[in-house]
């Protein structure tokens, strides 16, 4: 897969626990019908869909649910970088430095989480914040390695949003230092979809009854 080559060895791969060699070894899912409408034989081995499902599963899952499907789709978006890697590989370059784009995406994350604090149904904003955060991590992975640490550690990033921003930055710093997954409550990586109660809800405000 093209994206695996772009993110190999980067902060993005460490933060999202991506093994490029594992992705390259996946079996391509054949088309449903071959020559003259004959079904193509399925090759043995895990497919991209299998990998996305395995990464999304964090415990017993219902056979089908909107949230369950959302966790799988989100993993597909993470592994493919939502096609950002395709643009990079094609030679597309932004008019602003990558580090500036990363900072803008981090600020957007903070804005969305701050907005979620006052919403009755904040999950949509939390999902959008996770997407913005993913773009920030990708842009940082393409930035000059000498510039990225200063952006991650900039205290104004945390100050721009609610307290939960400190958890996100701590997780990113841990990944940058090769300590991915060592932050409190297992909050690495920051994902938008979950089949249970989202941990960000409790970080934004204490639980006070059922949450929609």
């Amino acid at each position: 897969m093209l994206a695996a080559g772009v993110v190999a060895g980067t902060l993005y791969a460490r933060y999202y626990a991506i093994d490029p060699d594992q992705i390259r070894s996946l079996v391509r899912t054949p088309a449903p019908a071959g020559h003259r409408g004959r079904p193509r034989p399925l090759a043995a081995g895990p497919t991209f869909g299998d990998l996305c499902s395995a990464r999304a599963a964090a415990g017993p899952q219902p056979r089908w649910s909107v949230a369950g499907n959302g966790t799988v789709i989100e993993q597909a978006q993470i592994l493919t970088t939502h096609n950002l890697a395709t643009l990079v590989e094609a030679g597309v370059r932004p008019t602003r430095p990558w580090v500036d784009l990363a900072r803008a995406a981090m600020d957007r994350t903070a804005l969305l989480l701050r907005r979620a604090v006052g919403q009755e149904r904040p999950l949509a904003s939390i999902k959008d914040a996770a997407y913005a955060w993913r773009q920030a991590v990708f842009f940082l992975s393409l930035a000059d390695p000498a510039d990225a640490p200063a952006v991650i550690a900039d205290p104004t990033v945390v100050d721009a949003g609610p307290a939960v921003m400190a958890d996100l930055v701590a997780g990113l710093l841990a990944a940058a230092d090769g300590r991915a997954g060592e932050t409190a409550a297992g909050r690495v990586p920051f994902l938008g979809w979950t089949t249970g109660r989202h941990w960000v809800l409790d970080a934004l405000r204490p639980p006070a009854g059922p949450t929609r």
Side-chain angles (χ1 to χ4, degrees):
M1 182 188 296
L2 182 149
V6 174
V7 304
T10 68
L11 172 63
Y12 188 93
R14 292 195 299 275
Y15 184 78
Y16 289 107
I18 296 173
D19 181 351
D21 290 334
Q22 180 186 38
I23 296 175
R24 295 187 187 103
S25 69
L26 295 174
V27 173
R28 292 181 180 273
T29 305
H35 182 59
R36 296 180 180 175
R38 296 173 185 168
R40 294 181 187 272
L42 292 174
T47 65
F48 181 71
D50 294 332
L51 177 59
C52 293
S53 296
R55 286 173 57 92
Q61 301 279 336
R63 183 170 182 178
W64 184 94
S65 71
V66 172
N69 287 348
T71 63
V72 175
I73 292 171
E74 184 173 30
Q75 287 301 323
Q77 292 171 338
I78 288 170
L79 293 175
T80 62
T81 69
H82 218 143
N83 291 329
L84 289 175
T86 302
L87 296 176
V88 172
E89 191 70 11
V92 176
R93 294 294 181 270
T95 57
R96 297 162 58 191
W98 290 113
V99 71
D100 289 355
L101 296 180
R103 178 55 198 263
M106 295 174 86
D107 288 343
R108 182 65 179 176
T109 303
L111 172 64
L112 288 164
L113 289 174
R114 191 167 66 244
R115 181 182 299 168
V117 173
Q119 292 177 325
E120 180 181 356
R121 298 175 179 172
L123 288 178
S125 292
I126 293 174
K127 292 184 182 72
D128 288 343
Y131 301 157
W133 188 251
R134 185 170 72 233
Q135 290 185 347
V137 178
F138 182 79
F139 295 148
L140 282 171
S141 297
L142 297 180
D144 187 326
D147 295 333
V151 175
I152 301 174
D154 185 347
T156 62
V157 171
V158 173
D159 294 342
V164 71
M165 281 295 296
D167 291 317
L168 303 190
V169 171
L172 194 54
L173 284 170
D177 293 340
R179 298 178 291 106
E182 293 187 9
T183 56
R187 295 170 182 175
V188 175
F190 174 32
L191 302 175
W193 285 88
T194 176
T195 55
R197 180 178 173 84
H198 204 299
W199 68 267
V200 169
L201 291 173
D202 294 334
L204 291 175
R205 55 178 181 262
T211 303
R212 301 172 194 171

